[in-house]
Amino acid sequence: MKYYTYLILLNLFFLFNKNHLFAIDNLITREKIELLNVAYSHNKRTFMCNCSFDKIKVNYDDCSYFPKVNNDKAHEVKWKQLINSKFIFRRYPEWKLGHNSCKTKKGDKYKRKKCVKKLYKNELKLINNDLHLYYPIIKQISIMMRNKRFGTINKERRKFGECNLEIGKLYIEPRDSIKGDIARTFLYFSENYMKNNFLKDKQMKLFKTWSSNDPVDQWECERNKNIKKLTGISNNILDHLCEKYSK
């Protein structure tokens, strides 16, 4: 009962708070998870392998996923930001070049992650709290996805039973039915946070192809609507496509 009361109060807070961006900017991890669970309340299924889950526990009875290693991480769900923070930091020029503001008390210059975090603190906080970028992924898969890009893998080898997911040394290739969802998440991020300077030409071409071949569906539009209603943050890419889809 206490859990549902908390959710009601949380939703009322966002409903009557006119400055939604300020509110979401101050979310803590527990609150982000609560909001995401509300957004997914009618579709509690993991993103990569389409397994149902309850809070954090995965149910394998209704999906084709088979754990690579049968440990605790294979049975839990993690809300993962689809875009790797490593690649985000490296797209800022100060990662390589540094900045006059990035100096220690002794006057020594520094760059990379420390410099980027100092200069773009507010923007990085908004990125971290943008729920449009988060998806429920089995924790074991989430760990294997670290520091890898989405792309095409030749000579596919499935490591997770019948779940159509390939994870190689450098790339991840998901099943066709979610390639568009992934592409539109990256396109949204690039346009709204990185001034279209995040994706290289080859990646942009790939994601536009994925988006074209796998157009928006009912759940993607419902998810977008739920997150927008809960946080006030609009995904302009999906707003436009979902408007066309509904006609």
Side-chain angles (χ1 to χ4, degrees):
M1 189 71 178
K2 194 179 289 185
Y3 171 78
Y4 291 106
T5 303
Y6 170 77
L7 289 182
I8 291 169
L9 291 173
L10 192 62
N11 280 300
L12 286 173
F13 170 74
F14 282 105
L15 181 64
F16 293 105
N17 189 323
K18 294 180 181 179
N19 193 353
H20 290 88
L21 283 177
F22 175 80
I24 199 72
D25 189 49
N26 287 282
L27 284 176
I28 59 173
T29 301
R30 184 168 69 95
E31 290 172 329
K32 277 195 287 188
I33 292 172
E34 298 290 3
L35 284 175
L36 285 162
N37 275 312
V38 172
Y40 276 75
S41 58
H42 298 300
N43 191 32
K44 287 284 187 75
R45 305 197 74 84
T46 63
F47 186 53
M48 291 297 176
C49 290
N50 199 34
C51 302
S52 64
F53 69 93
D54 180 22
K55 292 186 178 178
I56 64 168
K57 189 175 180 181
V58 182
N59 176 21
Y60 295 137
D61 294 339
D62 65 348
C63 69
S64 53
Y65 176 77
F66 186 81
K68 186 178 180 183
V69 179
N70 192 14
N71 55 23
D72 291 343
K73 293 180 177 64
H75 298 270
E76 294 180 0
V77 167
K78 177 181 180 180
W79 291 98
K80 178 180 174 63
Q81 196 175 83
L82 208 58
I83 298 152
N84 193 305
S85 61
K86 173 184 174 181
F87 301 131
I88 295 174
F89 282 112
R90 290 188 174 187
R91 294 304 286 169
Y92 287 98
E94 291 81 6
W95 172 270
K96 287 184 178 181
L97 303 175
H99 192 273
N100 289 334
S101 300
C102 295
K103 293 180 182 179
T104 65
K105 290 181 179 180
K106 294 181 179 180
D108 297 327
K109 294 182 178 181
Y110 59 85
K111 48 188 176 180
R112 293 185 178 269
K113 185 175 181 179
K114 186 178 179 181
C115 184
V116 173
K117 287 182 75 172
K118 178 180 180 178
L119 296 174
Y120 299 96
K121 180 180 178 181
N122 292 332
E123 183 174 334
L124 291 170
K125 195 177 288 187
L126 287 174
I127 292 170
N128 185 53
N129 289 313
D130 188 340
L131 302 193
H132 289 289
L133 305 176
Y134 286 84
Y135 291 85
I137 296 174
I138 296 169
K139 191 174 286 187
Q140 188 177 91
I141 292 175
S142 174
I143 292 170
M144 296 179 69
M145 289 172 63
R146 286 177 184 167
N147 300 329
K148 294 179 175 65
R149 300 181 185 275
F150 287 99
T152 303
I153 298 176
N154 297 321
K155 298 181 180 179
E156 299 177 352
R157 291 179 59 194
R158 294 182 183 175
K159 302 176 182 178
F160 311 101
E162 292 302 313
C163 173
N164 191 357
L165 171 68
E166 289 76 45
I167 301 179
K169 292 182 179 180
L170 299 175
Y171 294 101
I172 306 159
E173 183 174 6
R175 67 185 190 277
D176 291 341
S177 60
I178 61 170
K179 284 181 176 178
D181 304 56
I182 293 168
R184 287 181 285 276
T185 301
F186 274 81
L187 293 170
Y188 159 74
F189 175 81
S190 180
E191 183 174 317
N192 288 276
Y193 290 108
M194 306 297 287
K195 299 177 181 177
N196 288 319
N197 191 38
F198 181 66
L199 299 173
K200 297 179 180 179
D201 290 345
K202 185 177 179 180
Q203 293 173 304
M204 181 67 77
K205 183 178 179 181
L206 174 71
F207 285 140
K208 284 187 174 180
T209 300
W210 281 12
S211 182
S212 177
N213 292 342
D214 173 36
V216 294
D217 57 21
Q218 183 176 347
W219 164 241
E220 189 177 3
C221 292
E222 182 183 341
R223 174 185 177 275
N224 176 57
K225 184 179 178 180
N226 291 345
I227 291 173
K228 183 178 179 179
K229 184 178 179 180
L230 286 165
T231 68
I233 299 176
S234 176
N235 182 327
N236 56 309
I237 300 287
L238 287 180
D239 287 347
H240 173 67
L241 293 172
C242 290
E243 186 178 353
K244 292 172 65 177
Y245 172 80
S246 62
K247 290 181 179 179

